[in-house]
Amino acid sequence: MSLKVSETKLAFGGEQRKYTHYSEVLQCDMAFSIYLPSNKQQKEIPLIWWLSGLTCTDDNFSQKSGFQRLAEQHQVAVIIPDTSPRGENVADDDAYDLGQGAGFYIDATKQPWSEHYKMYTYITEELTGIASTLVPHFSGKESIMGHSMGGHGALVIGLKNTKRFKAISAFSPILTPTQVPWGIKAFSTYLGEDQDSWKSWDASELIKVTEAPPIMISQGTQDGFYPEQLNETIFLKNATENNQLINYKKEEGYDHSYFFISTFLEEHFNFHINQLS
Amino acid sequence: MSLKVSETKLAFGGEQRKYTHYSEVLQCDMAFSIYLPSNKQQKEIPLIWWLSGLTCTDDNFSQKSGFQRLAEQHQVAVIIPDTSPRGENVADDDAYDLGQGAGFYIDATKQPWSEHYKMYTYITEELTGIASTLVPHFSGKESIMGHSMGGHGALVIGLKNTKRFKAISAFSPILTPTQVPWGIKAFSTYLGEDQDSWKSWDASELIKVTEAPPIMISQGTQDGFYPEQLNETIFLKNATENNQLINYKKEEGYDHSYFFISTFLEEHFNFHINQLS
């Protein structure tokens, strides 16, 4: 086991830690961050997963969202994976929306990507195992949230594991990746041209056939990627047809940035905590 | 007047704006950030100045502290200057603690620095004039806070202008720059070897002779720069001898980072708001 703490910082009474480890699934060195609340009362604490967007690492949410205040207040642990495999030996692309920093939380099947790009299995299996050893007094209850590409990731992972995740929420998510430029580019590269193989990674497809946990989505109206990449029409239509209630909230004047996320994060935390209690 | 808005983002209901302008005092193009609360009730609002530390720009506090939540809650505007003059034609040094990003909030007297490095006059005169035009319903009440080099800046500017600033506070400030490596390096470079000329830029000297507004200081015990650069002994001794009460708080286990700042920022805002009401 190569797991090492590379950084520990106090924040709002709890510990913001950064770890490095060798991932057997991804076949490369990885980093992730985790926040452990102070847990002064030695209670059982739940775990929220945060998945970040294109170009991000685990640092963006750690440094820009202010989430530690809420995690300590509610006594919940938060784990933040990186957004792709990393390293000189890992396939990459010059574009910001493909390769390193753009793993899309799926398991690639096409060479050369399939050698390392297995973010779905990394998160749902390998990192899940590690997380369970890091959270003292872990209650076993989990939920998942994310932003943009990470909003897509949160919905896909949550909808593929509906018994495991008690709530799903997303800021500005890619809701129908098989129909928008970001998703088509990534899926055709990582999965190949057979579009049938794309469907199991599309929240708008998954929502048709699952009994989903509560879902909340926030979308800023001044988001430069909305509606082109983030169109909600198909997702909401399919959810309605399958009798899934979605709390889809448009926020007037907000954009795609962490200023938007930090503004509405308290509302998302309250939503998750209600399901994790 | 070259003042231009380069960015406007909604955050917690108010506007986080970034401006660029040509500074006559600094003789170069500059950027700064300002937060304007929503002011839905059209009340008079006060202004807090935030001064950042070495290597920072106005972006660090804007993006990492989470201050917008507090500024909107208390309906106060916040202005964040850059930390030095900038640009290809501005003198610089390869070291992180000298030149661009390290203006120390003083007016340099030695060539080549004296041509541009006039951060004290820039902030207290030129940017003050600009700020007064940007804050709608400005109450005219101001206070000042900062971090590290910016904590030194907040104390020096506040103590040189005690009628103007109603409160001063600092995170991990350089309290006696004339006696510590960072300050000695900067002052000998910007002001020359005559150490008498340094004293008017040293909070530990100024606190001897002024009737200061309320002052609060937070210092983490695990700060890697403490006590070498941030020693409080002389400042507190001189303050006591001049009957100045300083609320100097040591915070166990916290370091020099924005995780420390964000944790205790609410306490600092409450302290300022009490004096600005």
Side-chain angles (χ1 to χ4, degrees):
Chain A
M1 182 61 145
S2 65
L3 190 66
K4 279 187 202 149
V5 180
S6 62
E7 202 174 275
T8 299
K9 289 174 179 286
L10 274 188
F12 290 90
E15 285 191 7
Q16 178 72 33
R17 293 188 194 166
K18 197 166 166 115
Y19 283 89
T20 58
H21 72 118
Y22 181 78
S23 165
E24 298 291 343
V25 171
L26 303 178
Q27 295 281 306
C28 63
D29 290 319
M30 291 294 286
F32 66 89
S33 289
I34 191 166
Y35 182 80
L36 301 173
S38 62
N39 199 9
K40 286 175 192 150
Q41 304 187 319
Q42 302 281 297
K43 289 191 176 170
E44 293 207 319
I45 57 174
L47 176 64
I48 295 176
W49 291 75
W50 172 271
L51 304 184
S52 301
L54 287 166
T55 77
C56 289
T57 69
D58 53 311
D59 287 337
N60 300 66
F61 188 66
S62 297
Q63 296 180 0
K64 292 185 167 182
S65 71
F67 84 84
Q68 294 90 353
R69 179 179 69 88
L70 301 165
E72 172 65 13
Q73 179 186 320
H74 293 295
Q75 292 294 301
V76 57
V78 177
I79 186 165
I80 311 157
D82 200 350
T83 52
S84 76
R86 298 280 182 182
E88 281 181 20
N89 299 322
V90 172
D92 200 4
D93 190 283
D94 287 342
Y96 78 97
D97 54 1
L98 204 65
Q100 296 188 33
F104 272 82
Y105 306 102
I106 69 177
D107 286 350
T109 54
K110 285 290 164 190
Q111 281 290 352
W113 308 99
S114 54
E115 204 179 328
H116 299 282
Y117 284 72
K118 305 278 186 188
M119 287 298 289
Y120 177 78
T121 299
Y122 169 66
I123 287 171
T124 57
E125 296 180 14
E126 188 174 18
L127 196 53
T128 293
I130 294 171
S132 69
T133 70
L134 295 180
V135 182
H137 302 272
F138 181 34
S139 72
K141 291 185 179 168
E142 296 172 273
S143 67
I144 191 161
M145 55 171 80
H147 173 231
S148 196
M149 175 183 76
H152 143 73
L155 283 156
V156 165
I157 291 176
L159 291 172
K160 281 173 170 286
N161 300 274
T162 53
K163 296 215 169 116
R164 177 171 163 193
F165 295 101
K166 309 299 178 200
I168 306 171
S169 80
F171 295 85
S172 337
I174 306 169
L175 287 169
T176 317
T178 60
Q179 309 291 326
V180 302
W182 277 339
I184 291 169
K185 182 176 181 180
F187 286 10
S188 60
T189 304
Y190 299 148
L191 303 172
E193 296 303 331
D194 172 15
Q195 299 197 9
D196 273 347
S197 72
W198 300 4
K199 290 185 179 173
S200 66
W201 304 108
D202 184 325
S204 293
E205 293 291 330
L206 296 170
I207 198 71
K208 287 181 186 174
V209 293
T210 51
E211 192 169 334
I215 295 175
M216 185 163 85
I217 295 168
S218 295
Q219 175 62 56
T221 62
Q222 293 302 307
D223 185 328
F225 302 110
Y226 180 82
E228 186 190 16
Q229 306 278 9
L230 311 174
N231 198 305
E232 77 279 24
T233 315
I234 296 173
F235 180 78
L236 293 182
K237 175 173 172 290
N238 291 355
T240 302
E241 286 177 6
N242 189 26
N243 296 311
Q244 305 288 323
L245 278 180
I246 311 290
N247 188 358
Y248 186 85
K249 301 157 67 71
K250 282 207 187 167
E251 301 296 352
E252 189 66 33
Y254 284 87
D255 70 2
H256 201 70
S257 72
Y258 267 85
F259 293 121
F260 168 56
I261 295 170
S262 63
T263 299
F264 296 98
L265 193 61
E266 184 159 5
E267 189 177 8
H268 281 243
F269 262 69
N270 290 340
F271 169 75
H272 283 250
I273 295 299
N274 274 340
Q275 305 301 324
L276 291 168
S277 301
Chain B
M1 183 60 146
S2 64
L3 189 67
K4 279 188 202 149
V5 180
S6 62
E7 202 174 276
T8 298
K9 288 172 179 290
L10 273 188
F12 290 91
E15 285 191 7
Q16 178 72 33
R17 293 189 195 167
K18 197 166 166 116
Y19 283 90
T20 57
H21 71 119
Y22 181 79
S23 165
E24 298 290 343
V25 170
L26 302 177
Q27 295 281 307
C28 63
D29 290 319
M30 291 294 287
F32 66 89
S33 288
I34 192 166
Y35 181 79
L36 301 174
S38 63
N39 199 10
K40 288 175 192 150
Q41 305 187 317
Q42 303 280 297
K43 289 191 175 170
E44 292 207 319
I45 58 174
L47 176 64
I48 295 177
W49 292 74
W50 172 271
L51 304 185
S52 302
L54 287 166
T55 76
C56 290
T57 69
D58 53 311
D59 287 336
N60 299 68
F61 188 66
S62 298
Q63 296 180 1
K64 291 184 168 183
S65 71
F67 85 84
Q68 293 89 354
R69 179 179 69 89
L70 301 165
E72 173 65 13
Q73 180 185 320
H74 293 295
Q75 293 294 301
V76 56
V78 177
I79 186 164
I80 311 157
D82 201 350
T83 53
S84 76
R86 299 280 182 183
E88 280 181 21
N89 299 323
V90 172
D92 199 4
D93 189 284
D94 287 341
Y96 78 98
D97 54 1
L98 204 64
Q100 296 187 32
F104 272 82
Y105 305 102
I106 68 178
D107 286 350
T109 54
K110 286 289 165 188
Q111 282 291 348
W113 310 98
S114 54
E115 204 178 329
H116 298 282
Y117 283 74
K118 305 278 185 187
M119 287 299 288
Y120 177 77
T121 299
Y122 169 65
I123 287 171
T124 57
E125 295 181 13
E126 188 174 18
L127 196 52
T128 293
I130 294 170
S132 69
T133 69
L134 294 181
V135 181
H137 302 274
F138 181 34
S139 73
K141 291 185 179 168
E142 295 171 274
S143 67
I144 190 162
M145 55 171 82
H147 173 231
S148 197
M149 175 182 77
H152 143 74
L155 283 156
V156 164
I157 291 175
L159 291 172
K160 280 175 171 285
N161 299 275
T162 54
K163 296 213 170 120
R164 177 171 163 192
F165 295 101
K166 309 300 180 201
I168 306 171
S169 79
F171 295 85
S172 339
I174 306 169
L175 286 169
T176 318
T178 60
Q179 309 290 326
V180 302
W182 276 341
I184 291 169
K185 182 177 181 180
F187 287 9
S188 60
T189 304
Y190 299 148
L191 303 171
E193 295 303 331
D194 173 15
Q195 299 197 9
D196 272 349
S197 72
W198 300 4
K199 290 185 179 173
S200 66
W201 304 108
D202 184 326
S204 293
E205 293 291 330
L206 297 170
I207 198 70
K208 287 181 185 174
V209 293
T210 50
E211 193 169 334
I215 296 176
M216 185 162 83
I217 296 169
S218 295
Q219 175 63 55
T221 63
Q222 293 302 307
D223 185 328
F225 301 111
Y226 180 82
E228 186 191 16
Q229 306 278 9
L230 312 174
N231 198 306
E232 76 280 26
T233 315
I234 296 173
F235 180 79
L236 293 182
K237 176 174 171 287
N238 291 354
T240 302
E241 286 177 6
N242 189 27
N243 296 311
Q244 305 287 324
L245 278 180
I246 310 290
N247 188 0
Y248 185 86
K249 301 157 67 73
K250 282 207 187 166
E251 301 296 351
E252 189 65 32
Y254 284 86
D255 70 2
H256 200 71
S257 71
Y258 267 86
F259 292 121
F260 168 55
I261 295 170
S262 63
T263 299
F264 296 99
L265 193 61
E266 184 159 5
E267 190 177 7
H268 281 243
F269 262 68
N270 289 339
F271 169 75
H272 283 250
I273 296 299
N274 274 340
Q275 305 301 324
L276 291 168
S277 300

